[in-house]
Amino acid sequence: MRCVGNPFSRRGFLAAGSIAGFGLSLPELLMRQAAAEMKHYDFIKPKAKSVIHVFLPGGMAQQESFDPKPYSPLEYRGEMGTLKTNTGEVFSNTIPKLAKRADKFSVIRSMTHGEAAHERGTHNMFTGYKPSPALQYPSFGAVVSHEYGPRNNLPPYICIPNVPNEFAGTGYLPSSYGGFALGSDPARGDFQVRDLNLSGGVDESRFVKRKEALEVVNRRFTSMTSADNVAAMSTFYERAYDLLDTPAAKEAFDINKEGDKLRDRYGRNQAGQRLLMARRLVEAGSRLVTLTYGGWDMHQSITSGFNRTMPALDQGLSALIDDLDSRGLLDETLVMVTSEFGRTPKINADAGRDHWPKVFSVMLAGGGVKGGMVYGASDSTAAEPDHSPVSPADLATTMYHLLGIVADKELMAPGDRPIEIVDGGNVISDILV
């Protein structure tokens, strides 16, 4: 944590000398100074231990999911019907299973930002910041990894199946806080996490000898350079050793440990098996798991696109909520479903919808979030927020708050520049338990 002022100044040492006579040692004094200076930050008791961030690339339409407009003209509302949730709200009929579990999650219908390009919208939703030509900001996973580090020898930040985009990286933070990518899709019949097992012909004693030899070489090499990528590689090796040496941690990646009935309940497809793997990883100790599913950039034939893509997500998310709840994990696991932006209010000439960042929807479940709530609203044609707009900075601040991370804490960017984790976001307190 960055502290304001310099506790090691000449004045500080003079004060330490005068106070020592009253029984305070220099370490005690410095500890008190640090504690006083850190009162700038409001410490937060975390409600969530982990986050599962489900990102839907391309921009999911709000009208065909969580924010239908059944009373608007056909060219605005689209061809999909609606249904009542178990809380009396109205969702699109594309998500019938989630509608039966609406009491378990909240929907924000007033997400908004100004970036209509895929890359810029993605940047917003992975960092909480608008893109800047001067600085690359760290992703949520990198920040969580930086603040908390590993738990139970599992990587703190894991990506399923791969790091999804350039904005899911470490930004200005050291590379050692990057995401661990599975490298293969859990839905594959031959799924295996790359580099998680010893090479053929290498037994445990041989592995230990190789590790010791590598450590000797690394100590010599790292003493000659301070390059970030060298230090990061050393950290990666150490974490890999910890993982290989911890059977319980390795087992978390073995999706075949799950029974057939549960795997069927999630769905034997990309959405279902990625979500099931995410549950295994947070249950075992990973702090933030990011996964992607589908392609939601439906400029053409949006009805058939949703009919093809949404059922697996509806099934998988519903199974995830049920599974976390039955294991007593929902209260401590934040499930966050986001996308780059929404889609245009009016159906285009190709029966699709185009990019629309002015308003869209996000789903949040567990981890200190109320169930059965809709926050904010779009106007009659889902063109802009009607009230209670929520920015990416607000969403990020709320997520960090639930994890016990102070969003306006300053981290150090290159050049010793203090940069807030999130700049200007507000906690969406109305949706919190």
Side-chain angles (χ1 to χ4, degrees):
M1 180 174 291
R2 178 182 177 272
C3 296
V4 180
N6 180 9
F8 298 101
S9 65
R10 179 175 177 273
R11 179 180 297 176
F13 278 107
L14 289 174
S18 63
I19 292 175
F22 294 96
L24 284 179
S25 67
L26 178 60
E28 288 172 327
L29 174 67
L30 295 179
M31 287 172 64
R32 291 191 180 191
Q33 285 181 332
E37 289 161 349
M38 288 192 291
K39 285 180 182 177
H40 169 71
Y41 301 107
D42 296 322
F43 288 96
I44 304 167
K45 183 179 180 180
K47 295 182 179 179
K49 293 182 179 179
S50 305
V51 176
I52 296 175
H53 181 197
V54 182
F55 186 71
L56 308 177
M60 184 183 72
Q62 64 275 24
Q63 303 91 330
E64 278 74 25
S65 56
F66 294 107
D67 192 13
K69 299 297 176 181
Y71 303 113
S72 62
L74 178 62
E75 63 268 28
Y76 289 90
R77 71 173 182 264
E79 297 176 328
M80 296 297 187
T82 60
L83 48 77
K84 282 283 186 74
T85 71
N86 65 352
T87 62
E89 287 290 340
V90 175
F91 287 172
S92 170
N93 63 5
T94 60
I95 47 176
K97 295 181 184 296
L98 285 172
K100 293 178 181 178
R101 296 160 175 82
D103 60 316
K104 299 293 186 183
F105 59 85
S106 286
V107 171
I108 298 172
R109 285 178 170 168
S110 52
M111 280 297 306
T112 182
H113 62 69
E115 306 293 347
H118 288 296
E119 295 80 7
R120 296 178 70 84
T122 300
H123 184 284
N124 270 319
M125 301 307 291
F126 269 84
T127 68
Y129 270 92
K130 294 179 180 179
S132 167
L135 189 65
Q136 182 70 51
Y137 295 98
S139 65
F140 300 150
V143 171
V144 172
S145 178
H146 177 272
E147 293 300 290
Y148 284 136
R151 181 170 54 199
N152 299 342
N153 282 338
L154 270 174
Y157 173 29
I158 300 178
C159 300
I160 303 174
N162 294 298
V163 179
N165 54 69
E166 61 184 302
F167 310 117
T170 60
Y172 60 74
L173 291 177
S175 303
S176 57
Y177 299 110
F180 175 83
L182 302 191
S184 180
D185 197 315
R188 292 173 57 100
D190 60 350
F191 169 71
Q192 187 175 17
V193 179
R194 64 186 176 197
D195 303 327
L196 199 58
N197 296 299
L198 297 177
S199 303
V202 179
D203 59 19
E204 193 157 335
S205 62
R206 190 175 179 188
F207 169 70
V208 170
K209 290 179 180 179
R210 287 186 175 187
K211 177 183 174 182
E212 291 172 348
L214 182 61
E215 286 173 348
V216 171
V217 174
N218 282 346
R219 280 196 297 270
R220 170 66 176 167
F221 186 56
T222 55
S223 67
M224 299 169 63
T225 179
S226 59
D228 170 54
N229 57 350
V230 174
M233 186 59 67
S234 178
T235 301
F236 288 145
Y237 272 121
E238 289 303 319
R239 290 183 180 175
Y241 295 149
D242 290 341
L243 187 55
L244 288 170
D245 289 341
T246 311
K250 284 179 61 178
E251 189 172 292
F253 293 91
D254 188 358
I255 200 169
N256 293 312
K257 297 290 184 181
E258 299 290 345
D260 287 340
K261 286 185 179 180
L262 185 60
R263 295 191 70 178
D264 291 342
R265 197 181 312 154
Y266 272 85
R268 299 280 187 152
N269 49 57
Q270 287 186 352
Q273 299 306 291
R274 291 177 185 182
L275 288 163
L276 177 55
M277 175 61 77
R279 190 231 78 210
R280 287 186 61 83
L281 294 173
V282 297
E283 184 178 33
S286 187
R287 298 186 185 275
L288 190 145
V289 177
T290 292
L291 67 95
T292 58
Y293 165 70
W296 302 86
D297 193 26
M298 299 178 183
H299 292 276
Q300 301 174 326
S301 306
I302 195 167
T303 298
S304 60
F306 260 80
N307 286 335
R308 179 176 61 253
T309 309
M310 182 57 89
L313 182 64
D314 182 44
Q315 177 180 350
L317 277 175
S318 299
L320 176 66
I321 291 170
D322 291 348
D323 196 11
L324 289 171
D325 197 23
S326 68
R327 294 169 185 268
L329 295 172
L330 187 58
D331 288 344
E332 62 187 43
T333 304
L334 175 64
V335 179
M336 184 169 70
V337 184
T338 74
S339 197
E340 295 158 27
F341 37 59
R343 312 303 292 190
T344 48
K346 195 172 183 179
I347 299 287
N348 64 26
D350 294 317
R353 298 185 191 268
D354 302 316
H355 302 178
W356 194 257
K358 291 185 179 181
V359 72
F360 57 109
S361 296
V362 162
M363 173 187 151
L364 299 171
V369 172
K370 292 177 181 176
M373 184 170 183
V374 171
Y375 181 84
S378 63
D379 64 12
S380 62
T381 57
E384 59 186 36
D386 185 63
H387 64 81
S388 307
V390 174
S391 70
D394 296 332
L395 181 65
T397 297
T398 303
M399 178 201 69
Y400 287 129
H401 175 85
L402 290 170
L403 287 168
I405 296 172
V406 181
D408 64 356
K409 174 183 174 181
E410 291 175 339
L411 306 180
M412 283 301 186
D416 290 331
R417 288 182 295 167
I419 305 293
E420 292 180 338
I421 293 175
V422 183
D423 183 13
N426 296 304
V427 174
I428 315 166
S429 57
D430 286 349
I431 69 171
L432 304 186
V433 176

